Amino acid sequence: MGEFTTEDPLSASRRRWIDHVVGRVDGRFGFGFEEILGAGVRPNVPSLYVMGLGFDPRATVAFDVAAPALPKGSRVIAIVPKATSSGESRESAFQRRNQEHAQAIAEKHSLDLEVVQPNPGALDTRFHGVWLVRELRERQEWATPHVVVDISSLPSAIFFALIRAFLDEGADGRQLQVAAAENHWLDDLILDSGTLAPQFLPGFNLHGSLEDLRDEGTRIWVPVLGHARQAQMEAISSAFAPHEICPVVPFPAPDPRRGDSLVAEYGELLFDTLEVDAQKFIYADGSNPFDLYKVLLTISGRYSTALEPLGPTIIVPSTHGSKLLSLGVLLGAYEADLSVVNAGAPTSVLDPESTDGTIRDLAEESRPTCLWLAGEPYEQWPHRTLRQTPLQEATGVQVSEGQER
């Protein structure tokens, strides 16, 4: 398989996150999770923590680590993406347990928790993110100087819209961070039931509909591969009719064979049906969203330049994999002005062949990651001269390009 390099000196100096800050509980990227999150806290000022409270057992993993670092009185807005809290299903039981745990954590650390169910009457849950942004903009919490969006149990349709809104706002002095508890083994145990019609995510739609693009320009599709999402990919491919496909596989990844297993899983669809060129595969670090971000900017610039004589080049990524890789798509699409297509499922369920104990054990093994997207580390962007922030002065670590490797 070939690989797109991220070296692109002509555009590197203009990239918003060419220098970036990532913290993980094991310190892989030079910082710890609590270290990064704590550095974003404003002294004596409550923070805003937005999280999901679905049935995903990772819902409270990052929150449990983050809560001690949040000032007392901080607001926690916990979103129940779907009405799973009532009923006798296994998923409802997990959701209720997550909510009880979140309430216990909030009480222990004197945090103000509010549970919100976005737009309960909406027929298409992919518009929940737009509803939530409108709701939050009417509240005083929107102006909070330190915001953490925990995407561990948030659907992409919600966190794409929410993070974009905070980035667009660009409030002076706001520290915007994203937290996620990641474990791809657990991703594989959350199964989709059915497939929604493909459409662009709100906030990442520059073209109307996929069908409108079938006769326009050169169409490049960049799907981020994830387990058991073939129906979604087939639906997108049929609607978009791409001229070229560049699948993204996670490498490196916690499981060194993760990329190979995904290629084997989709081999018939990719090679036999869609006739994907093996040289077009893209490798992206499965634990660092900024890696995929840089790759998307690179291929966007190169395809646009190379194919300019043929007319417009339309590059459309889609997310079928982990939350961290999905965040990489968000960041790349945000900066490169790309539309992002989604063909999610009406409902999702936990793997019936896996025990509750196995699922909870995998959740506990998840490694929380904190990414700093706006604020102190980027105060001189787009001027790329780095300075010592209070965080760097305290730790003695200089944030620089390639720091994640």
Side-chain angles (χ1 to χ4, degrees):
M1 293 189 292
E3 178 179 6
F4 281 98
T5 175
T6 58
E7 295 298 326
D8 189 358
L10 294 180
S11 62
S13 63
R14 298 191 294 272
R15 293 177 180 173
R16 181 180 186 128
W17 292 289
I18 192 65
D19 307 306
H20 50 262
V21 183
V22 188
R24 199 168 75 174
V25 288
D26 60 0
R28 176 194 167 191
F29 303 109
F31 298 110
F33 177 94
E34 303 97 317
E35 184 180 13
I36 293 299
L37 189 137
V41 170
R42 302 298 89 183
N44 304 315
V45 179
S47 300
L48 172 63
Y49 195 96
V50 184
M51 62 184 291
L53 266 187
F55 66 78
D56 191 320
R58 291 166 292 191
T60 60
V61 171
F63 181 45
D64 203 3
V65 181
L70 299 174
K72 292 183 178 181
S74 292
R75 288 280 287 160
V76 180
I77 297 179
I79 303 158
V80 180
K82 296 179 182 178
T84 57
S85 57
S86 60
E88 301 302 323
S89 70
R90 186 186 189 195
E91 291 71 32
S92 295
F94 267 85
Q95 193 282 327
R96 288 192 295 270
R97 183 177 185 274
N98 286 339
Q99 187 164 330
E100 291 169 359
H101 191 206
Q103 290 170 335
I105 294 170
E107 290 175 5
K108 178 180 179 181
H109 299 285
S110 301
L111 307 177
D112 184 7
L113 174 70
E114 177 187 0
V115 177
V116 175
Q117 183 181 335
N119 203 11
L123 297 177
D124 192 332
T125 58
R126 287 176 290 189
F127 291 94
H128 279 176
V130 175
W131 181 92
L132 182 64
V133 169
R134 290 173 181 168
E135 174 76 10
L136 292 180
R137 275 184 170 148
E138 298 297 320
R139 301 183 177 205
Q140 63 180 8
E141 293 97 330
W142 188 258
T144 303
H146 175 230
V147 176
V148 181
V149 181
D150 183 345
I151 65 175
S152 304
S153 185
L154 281 177
S156 58
I158 291 181
F159 73 76
F160 266 62
L162 188 58
I163 293 172
R164 174 162 201 131
F166 279 122
L167 289 172
D168 285 344
E169 192 83 5
D172 291 340
R174 172 181 283 155
Q175 312 302 312
L176 175 62
Q177 299 178 322
V178 175
E182 186 76 342
N183 186 322
H184 80 261
W185 287 280
L186 188 50
D187 287 335
D188 293 351
L189 301 185
I190 298 177
L191 309 178
D192 286 348
S193 179
T195 301
L196 296 170
Q199 67 178 36
F200 294 119
L201 286 173
F204 291 84
N205 181 0
L206 304 176
H207 302 99
S209 70
L210 283 170
E211 289 75 10
D212 293 339
L213 297 178
R214 291 182 66 93
D215 298 321
E216 293 188 19
T218 303
R219 299 179 296 282
I220 313 296
W221 179 30
V222 186
V224 179
L225 300 186
H227 175 62
R229 300 294 188 268
Q230 180 156 327
Q232 296 178 12
M233 292 184 58
E234 289 174 343
I236 293 172
S237 175
S238 177
F240 186 41
H243 293 102
E244 197 158 292
I245 303 173
C246 302
V248 178
V249 294
F251 185 83
D255 175 5
R257 299 191 62 81
R258 177 68 170 175
D260 291 338
S261 64
L262 288 173
V263 172
E265 178 180 350
Y266 290 100
E268 183 176 348
L269 172 66
L270 293 176
F271 297 119
D272 298 341
T273 304
L274 300 179
E275 299 181 343
V276 173
D277 183 349
Q279 297 299 314
K280 300 300 182 183
F281 275 78
I282 299 170
Y283 297 104
D285 189 334
S287 301
N288 186 356
F290 292 112
D291 194 30
L292 180 54
Y293 152 79
K294 291 190 289 185
V295 173
L296 283 176
L297 292 188
T298 297
I299 66 173
S300 176
R302 291 186 176 180
Y303 268 118
S304 297
T305 299
L307 300 177
E308 184 176 10
L310 302 179
T313 302
I314 302 166
I315 299 174
V316 173
S318 62
T319 60
H320 311 277
S322 70
K323 293 291 175 65
L324 289 180
L325 285 176
S326 296
L327 182 59
V329 169
L330 186 160
L331 299 177
Y334 180 81
E335 186 161 331
D337 289 328
L338 304 178
S339 294
V340 180
V341 68
N342 176 274
T347 58
S348 299
V349 297
L350 294 167
D351 180 12
E353 297 183 4
S354 300
T355 67
D356 290 359
T358 297
I359 290 172
R360 292 193 180 105
D361 287 345
L362 287 173
E364 291 177 0
E365 294 171 6
S366 301
R367 290 179 290 195
T369 300
C370 184
L371 301 98
W372 202 331
L373 299 188
E376 280 187 5
Y378 313 102
E379 285 179 357
Q380 295 202 7
W381 184 87
H383 309 291
R384 302 316 309 170
T385 301
L386 294 178
R387 67 177 183 85
Q388 288 290 103
T389 68
L391 170 65
Q392 296 163 12
E393 291 172 355
T395 60
V397 178
Q398 174 67 56
V399 180
S400 60
E401 180 178 0
Q403 166 254 330
E404 80 282 8
R405 289 293 187 183

